[in-house]
Amino acid sequence: MLALALLLAGGAVTGCGGRATTHHNPGTSHEQASGSVGTLLTATDATGHRLREVPAQGAPEAQLTVRPDSEDGWNLQLAVKNYRFTPDSTGGAALPGAGHAHLELDGRKLARLYGPWFHLPAAQVPEGAHTLTVRLYADDHTAWAVSGKPVEGTAQLTATATATAAAPGGPDGHSHGGSPSPAPTSAPAPTSAPAPAPEQADRTVTIAVRDGKVSPAPARTELRRGERVALRVTSDRADTLHVHGYDKELALPAGQEATLILTADRTGLFEVETHESNLVLTQLLVR
């Protein structure tokens, strides 16, 4: 009887032979899943996510820096304090000082962030002045908050037809670095210069997303370390592709095929998913 009790206790900690997990069962509420971490408020952020209030001392902090990229768009850096990114437990219970972030352009969500860096293509930013916002969330998708306000950082960005410029500070008064570097200029390439060869891949995975369904059904794509894989994805709605572990992202225009070529230089199991629809497209198993 004692041995049986110990066996059952061990199974309750780790599940069915796997590691301990914070993911809650379908149908359970955030309150049931997350216990007593902070205080879950009835108030929500601008996107409808419940606020999770924590004391100001030791609370997560976020600052955003925006710099023009030398080739296209902007490079964004999210500096956080008292906070860590936990992509492996997204959808589980809220853990202190952990989770992911959302990136918004003028209040419109662009992507979910699982790390401190993000490349924003110029094609996603209309001409004019804009406000970028990053907001910190717990694994259960509640927004971390202090004094009833979400924990977030902002920065100003201006897109023009001929050049790009980004202001390092936001309207929240945070200082996010020095003056932005001017966009680099270069002399026109000689007309006789050959066009660069397209990137080559060892493997190609073609995926279609339509009406919330993935075709072919999500499966594992096995790769040898060092191989290059091309992810060719067509989605019937605008979305963003994200490769966990590699922190690679790709904008998916509605109805258009987009391709991300990735060098599998890390071993392990890495999920490929969409941000907006939260669909798993495939798993990269790199040996």
Side-chain angles (χ1 to χ4, degrees):
M1 291 295 290
L2 177 60
L4 178 59
L6 291 174
L7 179 61
L8 291 175
V13 173
T14 60
C16 300
R19 63 177 178 84
T21 177
T22 61
H23 286 69
H24 57 81
N25 294 324
T28 55
S29 67
H30 292 316
E31 294 92 334
Q32 294 170 321
S34 55
S36 58
V37 179
T39 301
L40 194 61
L41 306 181
T42 57
T44 64
D45 65 7
T47 60
H49 292 79
R50 297 275 295 275
L51 300 185
R52 185 171 294 278
E53 178 85 20
V54 291
Q57 184 174 3
E61 298 179 20
Q63 292 186 341
L64 181 63
T65 304
V66 183
R67 297 185 180 91
D69 184 80
S70 60
E71 294 185 358
D72 171 68
W74 300 264
N75 292 316
L76 280 55
Q77 182 182 16
L78 174 56
V80 296
K81 184 178 180 181
N82 302 323
Y83 188 80
R84 68 189 188 280
F85 294 98
T86 52
D88 289 340
S89 57
T90 299
L95 302 176
H100 56 276
H102 289 184
L103 172 66
E104 296 178 358
L105 177 70
D106 299 332
R108 177 176 61 89
K109 182 180 175 183
L110 292 180
R112 185 188 294 176
L113 307 185
Y114 295 98
W117 288 96
F118 181 81
H119 177 252
L120 178 60
Q124 293 191 10
V125 184
E127 184 176 350
H130 305 279
T131 298
L132 284 169
T133 302
V134 285
R135 188 176 303 115
L136 301 186
Y137 291 83
D139 284 329
D140 68 346
H141 303 288
T142 54
W144 293 111
V146 175
S147 300
K149 296 182 179 180
V151 176
E152 60 186 34
T154 60
Q156 300 302 304
L157 178 150
T158 300
T160 64
T162 57
T164 59
D172 56 1
H174 288 158
S175 174
H176 307 298
S179 300
S181 302
T185 58
S186 58
T191 56
S192 59
E199 290 184 283
Q200 299 296 317
D202 302 300
R203 296 279 303 279
T204 299
V205 179
T206 302
I207 302 170
V209 179
R210 176 175 290 277
D211 298 328
K213 297 182 179 180
V214 180
S215 178
R220 289 186 177 179
T221 301
E222 296 193 12
L223 301 166
R224 295 189 303 273
R225 185 173 182 177
E227 279 191 308
R228 290 171 62 79
V229 58
L231 301 172
R232 300 174 57 183
V233 181
T234 304
S235 174
D236 60 351
R237 55 173 291 184
D239 214 320
T240 302
L241 176 76
H242 180 255
V243 183
H244 286 276
Y246 286 86
D247 284 331
K248 296 292 186 181
E249 296 194 342
L250 175 70
L252 301 176
Q256 300 180 27
E257 183 180 82
T259 302
L260 173 66
I261 298 182
L262 172 74
T263 300
D265 54 6
R266 301 180 187 177
T267 57
L269 184 63
F270 308 95
E271 284 193 345
V272 180
E273 69 164 11
T274 56
H275 276 165
E276 297 296 330
S277 52
N278 293 318
L279 296 173
V280 175
L281 304 185
T282 187
Q283 292 179 322
L284 303 182
L285 179 59
V286 186
R287 302 182 186 275

